[in-house]
Amino acid sequence: MGIDLESLSEATSGAIGSLLSTTILYPLDTCKTRYQAEVRAHGQQKYRNLLDVLQEAISNRQVLSLYQGLCTKNLQSFIAQFVYFYGYSYFKRLYLERSGAKRIGTKENLVLAAAAGACTAIMTQPLDTASSRMQTSAFGKSKGLWKTLTEGTWSDAFDGLGISLLLTSNPAIQYTVFDQLKQRLLKGNRDKAGNSSSSEALSAFSAFLLGAISKSIATFMTYPAIRCKVMIQAADSNDDGTKKAVRKSQKTLPGVVYAIWRSEGVPGFFKGFHAQILKTVLSSALLLMIKEKISAATWVLILATRRYLLLTRSRLKSA
């Protein structure tokens, strides 16, 4: 089977968009991750909000450390988006060819998206774990990718994989909520217009607003899993003066859930939720904007490269 150039173009533009959006928002992501990873110990906590993380970096003259792990995160983000967009586009094309259908239904679309997400999570989990450990290491003391991954066993590199697979349900929840809200809004518009021939399309503002609301709801429903995943993957504290809230032996899902419940109660499962929403919305907006802007250029570049390779091969054969 030949290379699917359309899927390759979608994957490349999506990966480049992800690379740029990740770089732009990385300091925010680092502050968010460090804030999420901390559990209150003996009634004390180091960070009260995201600004405390930023203030620590500034006071220690380690502002550039907000970018520690950026290369690993970019590599993980690039590969993840490439695999996801290629897999999703390929699965859609394969489904249409095998089923003979002209379009993909909502349920089938969610299954294909979940399958692409699961493949992505499995392939990029070690990089995801490494980047989280680098971000949560003491400022200025982050280790390289290889040293971070080889500190423990290779199974440690897949910490949080089960939760990552569970979180592939996030887009499914978002799409379902979006569809329900869209139908309610359109029905309301038809009722106001007094006829059923009213436009079925959402305005750009309505689509953006419903997208933000549906993403927020999906994030809220899956956020406890998101925070547990960050804590499982976080680097161990090197502060000898403070007892670790979560020891290495407790870095399992039950251990992390118990630590949060004991130290912070139910609100602890939603610590950093506002930061997660801010980062997620900005990241998604930047990713889609950049992807749309470069997708046409990417397609032209791939076609030009393919033509050049074919001409080169034909010249070599005739020589």
Side-chain angles (χ1 to χ4, degrees):
M1 183 179 292
I3 297 176
D4 186 344
L5 293 181
E6 186 175 343
S7 298
L8 183 62
S9 175
E10 283 289 305
T12 303
S13 57
I16 294 174
S18 176
L19 187 76
L20 294 175
S21 65
T22 298
T23 301
I24 293 170
L25 298 174
Y26 195 75
L28 173 62
D29 189 44
T30 297
C31 292
K32 174 192 71 70
T33 302
R34 294 178 73 89
Y35 181 63
Q36 288 173 326
E38 185 195 25
V39 176
R40 183 185 303 146
H42 305 297
Q44 299 178 349
Q45 60 182 119
K46 190 176 182 181
Y47 306 125
R48 293 168 298 175
N49 50 55
L50 293 183
L51 291 178
D52 284 349
V53 183
L54 180 61
Q55 186 176 2
E56 181 191 14
I58 295 174
S59 62
N60 292 332
R61 299 181 180 180
Q62 294 287 345
V63 176
L64 291 180
S65 292
L66 291 173
Y67 288 92
Q68 61 189 26
L70 175 61
C71 292
T72 300
K73 191 73 171 183
N74 272 336
L75 179 61
Q76 184 259 336
S77 181
F78 185 90
I79 295 174
Q81 291 301 323
F82 186 92
V83 172
Y84 180 81
F85 278 106
Y86 187 88
Y88 181 58
S89 180
Y90 178 78
F91 288 153
K92 283 200 303 182
R93 183 177 295 274
L94 189 64
Y95 173 79
L96 291 174
E97 290 177 356
R98 296 287 178 87
S99 66
K102 294 183 179 179
R103 59 184 299 274
I104 299 176
T106 302
K107 292 181 179 179
E108 292 81 3
N109 196 45
L110 293 177
V111 171
L112 296 178
C119 293
T120 302
I122 294 171
M123 294 184 65
T124 61
Q125 188 64 33
L127 292 174
D128 187 33
T129 300
S131 64
S132 293
R133 289 177 183 170
M134 290 177 181
Q135 285 181 310
T136 53
S137 296
F139 283 132
K141 296 183 180 180
S142 177
K143 302 169 184 175
L145 173 58
W146 181 252
K147 192 169 184 179
T148 300
L149 287 176
T150 55
E151 278 184 328
T153 63
W154 273 104
S155 62
D156 292 338
F158 287 89
D159 283 346
L161 176 59
I163 300 179
S164 294
L165 293 175
L166 175 64
L167 289 175
T168 59
S169 63
N170 187 289
I173 296 172
Q174 178 190 1
Y175 189 89
T176 302
V177 173
F178 180 87
D179 191 57
Q180 292 296 317
L181 293 175
K182 176 183 175 182
Q183 295 305 320
R184 287 176 178 270
L185 182 60
L186 292 176
K187 184 177 183 299
N189 291 341
R190 287 196 300 267
D191 292 341
K192 287 181 180 179
N195 59 74
S196 59
S197 60
S198 180
S199 174
E200 290 292 322
L202 291 173
S203 65
F205 176 75
S206 296
F208 174 81
L209 186 61
L210 293 187
I213 293 173
S214 59
K215 186 62 178 178
S216 298
I217 292 174
T219 302
F220 177 80
M221 294 179 67
T222 57
Y223 188 76
I226 292 174
R227 196 189 172 202
C228 288
K229 176 172 172 280
V230 170
M231 290 180 61
I232 289 173
Q233 293 178 326
D236 292 323
S237 172
N238 291 321
D239 187 358
D240 296 330
T242 304
K243 185 179 179 180
K244 298 176 185 178
V246 183
R247 297 188 182 278
K248 190 169 183 178
S249 60
Q250 293 177 301
K251 286 199 172 183
T252 60
L253 182 57
V256 166
V257 168
Y258 176 71
I260 296 175
W261 175 265
R262 183 187 60 187
S263 302
E264 301 173 352
V266 175
F269 291 100
F270 294 91
K271 179 182 177 182
F273 174 71
H274 62 289
Q276 184 75 30
I277 289 292
L278 176 62
K279 188 260 179 183
T280 299
V281 171
L282 289 177
S283 179
S284 298
L286 279 172
L287 168 61
L288 293 176
M289 180 186 72
I290 296 171
K291 179 179 178 294
E292 287 300 315
K293 290 295 183 181
I294 67 174
S295 57
T298 303
W299 176 245
V300 171
L301 180 61
I302 288 176
L303 289 179
T305 303
R306 178 175 178 269
R307 184 179 180 185
Y308 173 77
L309 293 175
L310 289 175
L311 288 174
T312 302
R313 187 169 64 177
S314 63
R315 287 173 184 173
L316 291 174
K317 287 183 177 180
S318 61

